[in-house]
Amino acid sequence: GPGMGGPGMGGPGMGGPGMGRFGMGGFNGMNGNGGGSPFESQRASPRKEELKPQTKNFHCSLAELSYFDGCTKKLKVSIPTVDQISGRQENVEKIYQIDVQPGWKENTKIRFKASKDGLFPPITFVLKEKKHKFISRDGDDLVYRCNVTTRQCEKGAKLKIPLPDGELLEFQTDPDEIYDGYVKRINGKGMPIRDGIAEKSRGNFRIEFRIRNVSQSRR
């Protein structure tokens, strides 16, 4: 079974992330854990150099990491072997299933042991985050950099921001609340926090405001 080792983003206004909760990736020419059919293990013989431990990246979007019920990744691994009866080279494939937990961070490692039949060596999958179109991640927080006009600062701005988990965040700033470099924090709208507490909790959502053309007004 797998074991886990800890690790150590145009503007909004359109629909939600539209990401599925199941993913499939293919890796060729590398070894994997688990078995194909019992006949394969009897007929195929791996080359010794292919039995070395393997490391491979797999990718998750912010949406996939935002769901409180997690998501499932299915990753196909293919290794070249030699059929002991015909002498021909053939590939043996294995599907690895990774149950991604909410809030996992970049470089989280999932380790699988070598298979008992000796076909597949130990393999480690390393999580890499896909970049979001307009939101970035900072630990358990999410960050959106918002450009506004001087008029929006004076009158107040109404924002609608689709969050990675599909929720639409709507709020209105007060007149003269915004200035260049102003940061607004909204509690509980960031990434899921894996702190062992039963109650579901999230980090914060930070909006970092920049006034358009502010540099042009400076002499």
Side-chain angles (χ1 to χ4, degrees):
M4 188 191 84
M9 269 209 135
M14 302 181 67
M19 299 293 297
R21 302 199 185 185
F22 297 88
M24 174 76 78
F27 304 131
N28 294 321
M30 59 178 294
N31 290 339
N33 181 26
S37 72
F39 299 102
E40 290 174 333
S41 62
Q42 294 175 9
R43 294 167 57 92
S45 175
R47 295 195 295 264
K48 289 184 178 180
E49 62 267 22
E50 293 173 342
L51 294 178
K52 297 178 181 179
Q54 301 284 339
T55 300
K56 191 69 179 179
N57 296 337
F58 73 103
H59 297 81
C60 289
S61 65
L62 276 184
E64 292 170 319
L65 298 170
S66 291
Y67 303 130
F68 269 125
D69 54 353
C71 71
T72 299
K73 286 285 182 177
K74 295 184 178 180
L75 311 171
K76 182 171 67 174
V77 172
S78 176
I79 62 170
T81 62
V82 177
D83 188 302
Q84 293 181 344
I85 296 178
S86 65
R88 293 179 301 181
Q89 182 170 305
E90 57 185 27
N91 289 332
V92 177
E93 295 180 346
K94 166 65 181 173
I95 302 297
Y96 288 81
Q97 178 170 310
I98 297 177
D99 296 324
V100 178
Q101 300 301 303
W104 270 3
K105 293 182 172 69
E106 178 101 352
N107 293 324
T108 295
K109 295 178 176 61
I110 310 301
R111 298 180 177 92
F112 290 84
K113 296 179 181 180
S115 60
K116 294 181 180 179
D117 58 16
L119 279 177
F120 296 87
I123 184 169
T124 299
F125 291 101
V126 182
L127 171 62
K128 298 297 178 181
E129 289 182 5
K130 297 179 182 177
K131 289 194 178 297
H132 193 276
K133 290 182 179 180
F134 53 85
I135 294 174
S136 60
R137 181 177 184 178
D138 181 15
D140 293 322
D141 291 351
L142 293 174
V143 182
Y144 170 54
R145 292 172 175 83
C146 181
N147 294 320
V148 294
T149 64
T150 301
R151 180 178 177 82
Q152 286 175 312
C153 295
E154 295 172 351
K155 302 293 185 181
K158 185 176 182 180
L159 300 180
K160 295 182 179 181
I161 306 173
L163 301 180
D165 66 349
E167 179 183 350
L168 183 64
L169 178 63
E170 300 184 64
F171 70 95
Q172 174 87 36
T173 63
D174 295 329
D176 295 320
E177 176 184 1
I178 302 172
Y179 53 85
D180 189 56
Y182 172 66
V183 178
K184 186 174 185 66
R185 289 177 174 82
I186 301 176
N187 295 332
K189 296 299 181 182
M191 296 297 290
I193 298 176
R194 297 183 55 78
D195 54 8
I197 300 175
E199 181 180 358
K200 296 178 179 178
S201 58
R202 291 182 179 271
N204 300 325
F205 191 87
R206 303 202 314 260
I207 304 167
E208 300 178 354
F209 289 93
R210 294 290 182 268
I211 301 177
R212 296 173 186 167
N213 302 325
V214 65
S215 61
Q216 297 180 5
S217 64
R218 298 174 179 169
R219 295 182 180 271

